[in-house]
Amino acid sequence: MSSMMTASYRSRRDHFEPSDNDPHEQRRLRGHLEQIDYTAFVSNREVIPQVLGLGTNHTEPAAFQRLAVAAATARARWIAEALKLTEGGVAITAQDAQRLAGMRAAYDELSEAYEGLRRMVERGYLPYRGTER
């Protein structure tokens, strides 16, 4: 069985595992790596809300809905165009294929933006205020 990796999947790189057998050196190195990871976390938590224009505000469910609707619309337009182009049962032109590729790219980018926003909330970079049940 084969598998395919898509652009929407981000693999987590394996963390460095020291080859030094000295446990004190390994602990010291792990401590440094934790500091590095924490620095990246704090940097993301400070920068991302500012760049998104949120300041100290929370990410709202409406932001996710807007991205989800935009991605769904782009996907539907891409597929609708492909279906329309193939109605006649003839091969599509290079120009048609290029237009379809652009439509697919728009869908892919919007999907990635949605996933990126979700990851920002999941990782604690953005505060989120959901609707309470």
Side-chain angles (χ1 to χ4, degrees), residues 47-82:
V47 170
I48 289 172
Q50 296 302 319
V51 171
L52 294 180
L54 295 174
T56 59
N57 296 326
H58 290 78
T59 307
E60 302 287 337
F64 284 92
Q65 184 177 11
R66 285 191 307 272
L67 277 174
V69 168
T73 302
R75 174 190 272 173
R77 287 181 179 161
W78 165 46
I79 298 302
E81 182 67 14

PDB file of all heavy atoms in Angstrom, residues 47-82:
ATOM      1  N   VAL A  47       3.838  37.892  18.680  1.00  0.00           N
ATOM      2  CA  VAL A  47       3.838  38.485  17.342  1.00  0.00           C
ATOM      3  C   VAL A  47       2.535  38.219  16.580  1.00  0.00           C
ATOM      4  O   VAL A  47       1.965  39.129  15.970  1.00  0.00           O
ATOM      5  CB  VAL A  47       5.051  37.973  16.537  1.00  0.00           C
ATOM      6  CG1 VAL A  47       4.958  38.371  15.079  1.00  0.00           C
ATOM      7  CG2 VAL A  47       6.340  38.481  17.163  1.00  0.00           C
ATOM      8  N   ILE A  48       2.069  36.984  16.600  1.00  0.00           N
ATOM      9  CA  ILE A  48       0.926  36.613  15.749  1.00  0.00           C
ATOM     10  C   ILE A  48      -0.319  37.444  16.025  1.00  0.00           C
ATOM     11  O   ILE A  48      -0.920  37.979  15.083  1.00  0.00           O
ATOM     12  CB  ILE A  48       0.670  35.100  15.827  1.00  0.00           C
ATOM     13  CG1 ILE A  48       1.796  34.359  15.112  1.00  0.00           C
ATOM     14  CG2 ILE A  48      -0.679  34.737  15.233  1.00  0.00           C
ATOM     15  CD1 ILE A  48       1.774  32.851  15.265  1.00  0.00           C
ATOM     16  N   PRO A  49      -0.759  37.614  17.279  1.00  0.00           N
ATOM     17  CA  PRO A  49      -1.956  38.442  17.492  1.00  0.00           C
ATOM     18  C   PRO A  49      -1.781  39.879  17.008  1.00  0.00           C
ATOM     19  O   PRO A  49      -2.726  40.483  16.494  1.00  0.00           O
ATOM     20  CB  PRO A  49      -2.163  38.401  19.009  1.00  0.00           C
ATOM     21  CG  PRO A  49      -1.480  37.164  19.456  1.00  0.00           C
ATOM     22  CD  PRO A  49      -0.309  37.009  18.531  1.00  0.00           C
ATOM     23  N   GLN A  50      -0.565  40.419  17.151  1.00  0.00           N
ATOM     24  CA  GLN A  50      -0.321  41.788  16.699  1.00  0.00           C
ATOM     25  C   GLN A  50      -0.421  41.885  15.176  1.00  0.00           C
ATOM     26  O   GLN A  50      -1.042  42.809  14.652  1.00  0.00           O
ATOM     27  CB  GLN A  50       1.053  42.266  17.172  1.00  0.00           C
ATOM     28  CG  GLN A  50       1.187  42.360  18.675  1.00  0.00           C
ATOM     29  CD  GLN A  50       0.170  43.285  19.311  1.00  0.00           C
ATOM     30  OE1 GLN A  50      -0.124  44.357  18.788  1.00  0.00           O
ATOM     31  NE2 GLN A  50      -0.380  42.868  20.435  1.00  0.00           N
ATOM     32  N   VAL A  51       0.191  40.929  14.479  1.00  0.00           N
ATOM     33  CA  VAL A  51       0.156  40.956  13.011  1.00  0.00           C
ATOM     34  C   VAL A  51      -1.273  40.756  12.499  1.00  0.00           C
ATOM     35  O   VAL A  51      -1.684  41.385  11.518  1.00  0.00           O
ATOM     36  CB  VAL A  51       1.115  39.893  12.420  1.00  0.00           C
ATOM     37  CG1 VAL A  51       0.925  39.760  10.917  1.00  0.00           C
ATOM     38  CG2 VAL A  51       2.564  40.249  12.746  1.00  0.00           C
ATOM     39  N   LEU A  52      -2.047  39.921  13.197  1.00  0.00           N
ATOM     40  CA  LEU A  52      -3.443  39.695  12.803  1.00  0.00           C
ATOM     41  C   LEU A  52      -4.357  40.829  13.240  1.00  0.00           C
ATOM     42  O   LEU A  52      -5.545  40.819  12.928  1.00  0.00           O
ATOM     43  CB  LEU A  52      -3.957  38.373  13.381  1.00  0.00           C
ATOM     44  CG  LEU A  52      -3.291  37.104  12.854  1.00  0.00           C
ATOM     45  CD1 LEU A  52      -3.907  35.881  13.504  1.00  0.00           C
ATOM     46  CD2 LEU A  52      -3.382  37.019  11.341  1.00  0.00           C
ATOM     47  N   GLY A  53      -3.805  41.807  13.958  1.00  0.00           N
ATOM     48  CA  GLY A  53      -4.600  42.954  14.380  1.00  0.00           C
ATOM     49  C   GLY A  53      -5.523  42.652  15.549  1.00  0.00           C
ATOM     50  O   GLY A  53      -6.511  43.349  15.750  1.00  0.00           O
ATOM     51  N   LEU A  54      -5.192  41.635  16.329  1.00  0.00           N
ATOM     52  CA  LEU A  54      -6.054  41.271  17.450  1.00  0.00           C
ATOM     53  C   LEU A  54      -5.648  41.951  18.748  1.00  0.00           C
ATOM     54  O   LEU A  54      -6.457  42.059  19.663  1.00  0.00           O
ATOM     55  CB  LEU A  54      -6.047  39.747  17.656  1.00  0.00           C
ATOM     56  CG  LEU A  54      -6.627  38.929  16.526  1.00  0.00           C
ATOM     57  CD1 LEU A  54      -6.433  37.451  16.797  1.00  0.00           C
ATOM     58  CD2 LEU A  54      -8.099  39.243  16.341  1.00  0.00           C
ATOM     59  N   GLY A  55      -4.404  42.352  18.853  1.00  0.00           N
ATOM     60  CA  GLY A  55      -3.940  42.923  20.110  1.00  0.00           C
ATOM     61  C   GLY A  55      -4.134  41.921  21.231  1.00  0.00           C
ATOM     62  O   GLY A  55      -3.656  40.803  21.159  1.00  0.00           O
ATOM     63  N   THR A  56      -4.887  42.318  22.244  1.00  0.00           N
ATOM     64  CA  THR A  56      -5.173  41.400  23.355  1.00  0.00           C
ATOM     65  C   THR A  56      -6.544  40.749  23.203  1.00  0.00           C
ATOM     66  O   THR A  56      -6.999  40.053  24.104  1.00  0.00           O
ATOM     67  CB  THR A  56      -5.116  42.152  24.701  1.00  0.00           C
ATOM     68  OG1 THR A  56      -6.068  43.212  24.677  1.00  0.00           O
ATOM     69  CG2 THR A  56      -3.718  42.690  24.955  1.00  0.00           C
ATOM     70  N   ASN A  57      -7.215  41.003  22.086  1.00  0.00           N
ATOM     71  CA  ASN A  57      -8.533  40.418  21.852  1.00  0.00           C
ATOM     72  C   ASN A  57      -8.423  38.935  21.536  1.00  0.00           C
ATOM     73  O   ASN A  57      -7.358  38.438  21.197  1.00  0.00           O
ATOM     74  CB  ASN A  57      -9.242  41.133  20.693  1.00  0.00           C
ATOM     75  CG  ASN A  57      -9.525  42.589  21.034  1.00  0.00           C
ATOM     76  OD1 ASN A  57      -9.798  42.932  22.169  1.00  0.00           O
ATOM     77  ND2 ASN A  57      -9.438  43.442  20.035  1.00  0.00           N
ATOM     78  N   HIS A  58      -9.538  38.267  21.595  1.00  0.00           N
ATOM     79  CA  HIS A  58      -9.595  36.835  21.309  1.00  0.00           C
ATOM     80  C   HIS A  58      -9.975  36.594  19.850  1.00  0.00           C
ATOM     81  O   HIS A  58     -10.658  37.407  19.233  1.00  0.00           O
ATOM     82  CB  HIS A  58     -10.652  36.161  22.188  1.00  0.00           C
ATOM     83  CG  HIS A  58     -10.271  36.103  23.617  1.00  0.00           C
ATOM     84  ND1 HIS A  58     -10.369  37.189  24.461  1.00  0.00           N
ATOM     85  CD2 HIS A  58      -9.775  35.103  24.358  1.00  0.00           C
ATOM     86  CE1 HIS A  58      -9.965  36.854  25.656  1.00  0.00           C
ATOM     87  NE2 HIS A  58      -9.591  35.590  25.636  1.00  0.00           N
ATOM     88  N   THR A  59      -9.549  35.456  19.330  1.00  0.00           N
ATOM     89  CA  THR A  59      -9.997  35.017  18.019  1.00  0.00           C
ATOM     90  C   THR A  59     -11.433  34.548  18.184  1.00  0.00           C
ATOM     91  O   THR A  59     -11.753  33.812  19.107  1.00  0.00           O
ATOM     92  CB  THR A  59      -9.137  33.843  17.519  1.00  0.00           C
ATOM     93  OG1 THR A  59      -7.773  34.216  17.599  1.00  0.00           O
ATOM     94  CG2 THR A  59      -9.488  33.491  16.094  1.00  0.00           C
ATOM     95  N   GLU A  60     -12.293  34.983  17.329  1.00  0.00           N
ATOM     96  CA  GLU A  60     -13.723  34.668  17.429  1.00  0.00           C
ATOM     97  C   GLU A  60     -14.090  33.538  16.478  1.00  0.00           C
ATOM     98  O   GLU A  60     -13.437  33.352  15.448  1.00  0.00           O
ATOM     99  CB  GLU A  60     -14.551  35.907  17.090  1.00  0.00           C
ATOM    100  CG  GLU A  60     -14.279  37.117  17.967  1.00  0.00           C
ATOM    101  CD  GLU A  60     -14.842  36.978  19.378  1.00  0.00           C
ATOM    102  OE1 GLU A  60     -15.785  36.179  19.573  1.00  0.00           O
ATOM    103  OE2 GLU A  60     -14.342  37.666  20.274  1.00  0.00           O
ATOM    104  N   PRO A  61     -15.144  32.803  16.796  1.00  0.00           N
ATOM    105  CA  PRO A  61     -15.620  31.748  15.883  1.00  0.00           C
ATOM    106  C   PRO A  61     -15.935  32.273  14.484  1.00  0.00           C
ATOM    107  O   PRO A  61     -15.767  31.562  13.506  1.00  0.00           O
ATOM    108  CB  PRO A  61     -16.884  31.227  16.572  1.00  0.00           C
ATOM    109  CG  PRO A  61     -16.704  31.554  18.012  1.00  0.00           C
ATOM    110  CD  PRO A  61     -15.915  32.831  18.040  1.00  0.00           C
ATOM    111  N   ALA A  62     -16.333  33.527  14.392  1.00  0.00           N
ATOM    112  CA  ALA A  62     -16.670  34.105  13.086  1.00  0.00           C
ATOM    113  C   ALA A  62     -15.468  34.108  12.145  1.00  0.00           C
ATOM    114  O   ALA A  62     -15.627  33.968  10.930  1.00  0.00           O
ATOM    115  CB  ALA A  62     -17.215  35.521  13.263  1.00  0.00           C
ATOM    116  N   ALA A  63     -14.261  34.276  12.693  1.00  0.00           N
ATOM    117  CA  ALA A  63     -13.061  34.255  11.842  1.00  0.00           C
ATOM    118  C   ALA A  63     -12.899  32.886  11.203  1.00  0.00           C
ATOM    119  O   ALA A  63     -12.571  32.774  10.018  1.00  0.00           O
ATOM    120  CB  ALA A  63     -11.827  34.610  12.666  1.00  0.00           C
ATOM    121  N   PHE A  64     -13.127  31.838  11.977  1.00  0.00           N
ATOM    122  CA  PHE A  64     -13.049  30.483  11.432  1.00  0.00           C
ATOM    123  C   PHE A  64     -14.149  30.254  10.410  1.00  0.00           C
ATOM    124  O   PHE A  64     -13.922  29.629   9.374  1.00  0.00           O
ATOM    125  CB  PHE A  64     -13.136  29.449  12.560  1.00  0.00           C
ATOM    126  CG  PHE A  64     -11.872  29.335  13.338  1.00  0.00           C
ATOM    127  CD1 PHE A  64     -11.679  30.103  14.468  1.00  0.00           C
ATOM    128  CD2 PHE A  64     -10.862  28.486  12.929  1.00  0.00           C
ATOM    129  CE1 PHE A  64     -10.502  30.016  15.188  1.00  0.00           C
ATOM    130  CE2 PHE A  64      -9.685  28.393  13.636  1.00  0.00           C
ATOM    131  CZ  PHE A  64      -9.499  29.156  14.773  1.00  0.00           C
ATOM    132  N   GLN A  65     -15.330  30.760  10.691  1.00  0.00           N
ATOM    133  CA  GLN A  65     -16.436  30.570   9.760  1.00  0.00           C
ATOM    134  C   GLN A  65     -16.155  31.266   8.431  1.00  0.00           C
ATOM    135  O   GLN A  65     -16.402  30.695   7.368  1.00  0.00           O
ATOM    136  CB  GLN A  65     -17.742  31.078  10.355  1.00  0.00           C
ATOM    137  CG  GLN A  65     -18.924  30.807   9.435  1.00  0.00           C
ATOM    138  CD  GLN A  65     -20.241  31.238  10.030  1.00  0.00           C
ATOM    139  OE1 GLN A  65     -20.287  31.931  11.044  1.00  0.00           O
ATOM    140  NE2 GLN A  65     -21.325  30.831   9.404  1.00  0.00           N
ATOM    141  N   ARG A  66     -15.610  32.474   8.485  1.00  0.00           N
ATOM    142  CA  ARG A  66     -15.297  33.186   7.233  1.00  0.00           C
ATOM    143  C   ARG A  66     -14.294  32.404   6.391  1.00  0.00           C
ATOM    144  O   ARG A  66     -14.472  32.247   5.181  1.00  0.00           O
ATOM    145  CB  ARG A  66     -14.754  34.585   7.538  1.00  0.00           C
ATOM    146  CG  ARG A  66     -15.805  35.570   7.991  1.00  0.00           C
ATOM    147  CD  ARG A  66     -15.275  36.998   8.013  1.00  0.00           C
ATOM    148  NE  ARG A  66     -14.039  37.165   8.768  1.00  0.00           N
ATOM    149  CZ  ARG A  66     -13.973  37.423  10.072  1.00  0.00           C
ATOM    150  NH1 ARG A  66     -15.081  37.533  10.778  1.00  0.00           N
ATOM    151  NH2 ARG A  66     -12.801  37.579  10.667  1.00  0.00           N
ATOM    152  N   LEU A  67     -13.235  31.899   7.036  1.00  0.00           N
ATOM    153  CA  LEU A  67     -12.247  31.120   6.287  1.00  0.00           C
ATOM    154  C   LEU A  67     -12.843  29.812   5.766  1.00  0.00           C
ATOM    155  O   LEU A  67     -12.566  29.402   4.641  1.00  0.00           O
ATOM    156  CB  LEU A  67     -11.021  30.824   7.154  1.00  0.00           C
ATOM    157  CG  LEU A  67      -9.983  31.926   7.233  1.00  0.00           C
ATOM    158  CD1 LEU A  67      -8.883  31.566   8.230  1.00  0.00           C
ATOM    159  CD2 LEU A  67      -9.375  32.202   5.872  1.00  0.00           C
ATOM    160  N   ALA A  68     -13.657  29.152   6.584  1.00  0.00           N
ATOM    161  CA  ALA A  68     -14.272  27.891   6.162  1.00  0.00           C
ATOM    162  C   ALA A  68     -15.208  28.108   4.975  1.00  0.00           C
ATOM    163  O   ALA A  68     -15.197  27.324   4.019  1.00  0.00           O
ATOM    164  CB  ALA A  68     -15.027  27.255   7.330  1.00  0.00           C
ATOM    165  N   VAL A  69     -16.005  29.164   5.015  1.00  0.00           N
ATOM    166  CA  VAL A  69     -16.923  29.462   3.916  1.00  0.00           C
ATOM    167  C   VAL A  69     -16.145  29.821   2.652  1.00  0.00           C
ATOM    168  O   VAL A  69     -16.473  29.359   1.548  1.00  0.00           O
ATOM    169  CB  VAL A  69     -17.913  30.583   4.306  1.00  0.00           C
ATOM    170  CG1 VAL A  69     -18.669  31.111   3.092  1.00  0.00           C
ATOM    171  CG2 VAL A  69     -18.891  30.080   5.367  1.00  0.00           C
ATOM    172  N   ALA A  70     -15.090  30.605   2.816  1.00  0.00           N
ATOM    173  CA  ALA A  70     -14.278  30.974   1.648  1.00  0.00           C
ATOM    174  C   ALA A  70     -13.630  29.749   1.026  1.00  0.00           C
ATOM    175  O   ALA A  70     -13.615  29.596  -0.207  1.00  0.00           O
ATOM    176  CB  ALA A  70     -13.207  31.997   2.056  1.00  0.00           C
ATOM    177  N   ALA A  71     -13.106  28.840   1.846  1.00  0.00           N
ATOM    178  CA  ALA A  71     -12.487  27.613   1.330  1.00  0.00           C
ATOM    179  C   ALA A  71     -13.525  26.716   0.668  1.00  0.00           C
ATOM    180  O   ALA A  71     -13.281  26.163  -0.415  1.00  0.00           O
ATOM    181  CB  ALA A  71     -11.769  26.859   2.449  1.00  0.00           C
ATOM    182  N   ALA A  72     -14.687  26.575   1.292  1.00  0.00           N
ATOM    183  CA  ALA A  72     -15.745  25.742   0.711  1.00  0.00           C
ATOM    184  C   ALA A  72     -16.223  26.310  -0.622  1.00  0.00           C
ATOM    185  O   ALA A  72     -16.458  25.565  -1.583  1.00  0.00           O
ATOM    186  CB  ALA A  72     -16.915  25.620   1.692  1.00  0.00           C
ATOM    187  N   THR A  73     -16.347  27.618  -0.692  1.00  0.00           N
ATOM    188  CA  THR A  73     -16.772  28.264  -1.934  1.00  0.00           C
ATOM    189  C   THR A  73     -15.726  28.063  -3.027  1.00  0.00           C
ATOM    190  O   THR A  73     -16.066  27.733  -4.177  1.00  0.00           O
ATOM    191  CB  THR A  73     -17.016  29.765  -1.693  1.00  0.00           C
ATOM    192  OG1 THR A  73     -18.012  29.907  -0.678  1.00  0.00           O
ATOM    193  CG2 THR A  73     -17.475  30.465  -2.959  1.00  0.00           C
ATOM    194  N   ALA A  74     -14.459  28.243  -2.679  1.00  0.00           N
ATOM    195  CA  ALA A  74     -13.391  28.052  -3.665  1.00  0.00           C
ATOM    196  C   ALA A  74     -13.355  26.610  -4.154  1.00  0.00           C
ATOM    197  O   ALA A  74     -13.174  26.360  -5.351  1.00  0.00           O
ATOM    198  CB  ALA A  74     -12.038  28.453  -3.060  1.00  0.00           C
ATOM    199  N   ARG A  75     -13.541  25.658  -3.250  1.00  0.00           N
ATOM    200  CA  ARG A  75     -13.558  24.237  -3.637  1.00  0.00           C
ATOM    201  C   ARG A  75     -14.729  23.965  -4.581  1.00  0.00           C
ATOM    202  O   ARG A  75     -14.563  23.331  -5.624  1.00  0.00           O
ATOM    203  CB  ARG A  75     -13.683  23.351  -2.410  1.00  0.00           C
ATOM    204  CG  ARG A  75     -13.841  21.877  -2.779  1.00  0.00           C
ATOM    205  CD  ARG A  75     -14.207  21.069  -1.570  1.00  0.00           C
ATOM    206  NE  ARG A  75     -12.998  20.638  -0.890  1.00  0.00           N
ATOM    207  CZ  ARG A  75     -13.002  20.024   0.284  1.00  0.00           C
ATOM    208  NH1 ARG A  75     -14.119  19.808   0.923  1.00  0.00           N
ATOM    209  NH2 ARG A  75     -11.877  19.630   0.829  1.00  0.00           N
ATOM    210  N   ALA A  76     -15.894  24.457  -4.228  1.00  0.00           N
ATOM    211  CA  ALA A  76     -17.079  24.217  -5.048  1.00  0.00           C
ATOM    212  C   ALA A  76     -16.933  24.845  -6.436  1.00  0.00           C
ATOM    213  O   ALA A  76     -17.295  24.232  -7.446  1.00  0.00           O
ATOM    214  CB  ALA A  76     -18.318  24.755  -4.339  1.00  0.00           C
ATOM    215  N   ARG A  77     -16.380  26.047  -6.510  1.00  0.00           N
ATOM    216  CA  ARG A  77     -16.180  26.704  -7.814  1.00  0.00           C
ATOM    217  C   ARG A  77     -15.181  25.941  -8.670  1.00  0.00           C
ATOM    218  O   ARG A  77     -15.366  25.812  -9.881  1.00  0.00           O
ATOM    219  CB  ARG A  77     -15.720  28.144  -7.600  1.00  0.00           C
ATOM    220  CG  ARG A  77     -16.827  29.043  -7.115  1.00  0.00           C
ATOM    221  CD  ARG A  77     -16.352  30.456  -6.927  1.00  0.00           C
ATOM    222  NE  ARG A  77     -17.456  31.303  -6.492  1.00  0.00           N
ATOM    223  CZ  ARG A  77     -17.310  32.468  -5.906  1.00  0.00           C
ATOM    224  NH1 ARG A  77     -16.098  32.956  -5.693  1.00  0.00           N
ATOM    225  NH2 ARG A  77     -18.350  33.167  -5.536  1.00  0.00           N
ATOM    226  N   TRP A  78     -14.131  25.459  -8.041  1.00  0.00           N
ATOM    227  CA  TRP A  78     -13.108  24.678  -8.762  1.00  0.00           C
ATOM    228  C   TRP A  78     -13.734  23.418  -9.347  1.00  0.00           C
ATOM    229  O   TRP A  78     -13.567  23.124 -10.536  1.00  0.00           O
ATOM    230  CB  TRP A  78     -11.978  24.375  -7.790  1.00  0.00           C
ATOM    231  CG  TRP A  78     -10.997  23.323  -8.188  1.00  0.00           C
ATOM    232  CD1 TRP A  78     -10.393  23.179  -9.402  1.00  0.00           C
ATOM    233  CD2 TRP A  78     -10.496  22.273  -7.374  1.00  0.00           C
ATOM    234  NE1 TRP A  78      -9.533  22.095  -9.377  1.00  0.00           N
ATOM    235  CE2 TRP A  78      -9.590  21.526  -8.131  1.00  0.00           C
ATOM    236  CE3 TRP A  78     -10.723  21.903  -6.045  1.00  0.00           C
ATOM    237  CZ2 TRP A  78      -8.912  20.424  -7.633  1.00  0.00           C
ATOM    238  CZ3 TRP A  78     -10.039  20.811  -5.544  1.00  0.00           C
ATOM    239  CH2 TRP A  78      -9.151  20.085  -6.343  1.00  0.00           C
ATOM    240  N   ILE A  79     -14.473  22.663  -8.544  1.00  0.00           N
ATOM    241  CA  ILE A  79     -15.080  21.426  -9.018  1.00  0.00           C
ATOM    242  C   ILE A  79     -16.183  21.713 -10.031  1.00  0.00           C
ATOM    243  O   ILE A  79     -16.301  21.005 -11.047  1.00  0.00           O
ATOM    244  CB  ILE A  79     -15.621  20.595  -7.834  1.00  0.00           C
ATOM    245  CG1 ILE A  79     -14.466  20.201  -6.899  1.00  0.00           C
ATOM    246  CG2 ILE A  79     -16.387  19.376  -8.317  1.00  0.00           C
ATOM    247  CD1 ILE A  79     -13.352  19.403  -7.564  1.00  0.00           C
ATOM    248  N   ALA A  80     -16.990  22.753  -9.794  1.00  0.00           N
ATOM    249  CA  ALA A  80     -18.050  23.115 -10.738  1.00  0.00           C
ATOM    250  C   ALA A  80     -17.453  23.452 -12.103  1.00  0.00           C
ATOM    251  O   ALA A  80     -17.989  23.045 -13.146  1.00  0.00           O
ATOM    252  CB  ALA A  80     -18.867  24.285 -10.199  1.00  0.00           C
ATOM    253  N   GLU A  81     -16.349  24.170 -12.093  1.00  0.00           N
ATOM    254  CA  GLU A  81     -15.687  24.520 -13.355  1.00  0.00           C
ATOM    255  C   GLU A  81     -15.152  23.276 -14.056  1.00  0.00           C
ATOM    256  O   GLU A  81     -15.277  23.131 -15.276  1.00  0.00           O
ATOM    257  CB  GLU A  81     -14.556  25.528 -13.099  1.00  0.00           C
ATOM    258  CG  GLU A  81     -13.847  25.999 -14.348  1.00  0.00           C
ATOM    259  CD  GLU A  81     -14.712  26.841 -15.270  1.00  0.00           C
ATOM    260  OE1 GLU A  81     -15.793  27.301 -14.863  1.00  0.00           O
ATOM    261  OE2 GLU A  81     -14.288  27.050 -16.430  1.00  0.00           O
ATOM    262  N   ALA A  82     -14.578  22.362 -13.296  1.00  0.00           N
ATOM    263  CA  ALA A  82     -14.074  21.118 -13.892  1.00  0.00           C
ATOM    264  C   ALA A  82     -15.219  20.318 -14.505  1.00  0.00           C
ATOM    265  O   ALA A  82     -15.094  19.780 -15.613  1.00  0.00           O
ATOM    266  CB  ALA A  82     -13.341  20.286 -12.839  1.00  0.00           C
TER     267      ALA A  82
END
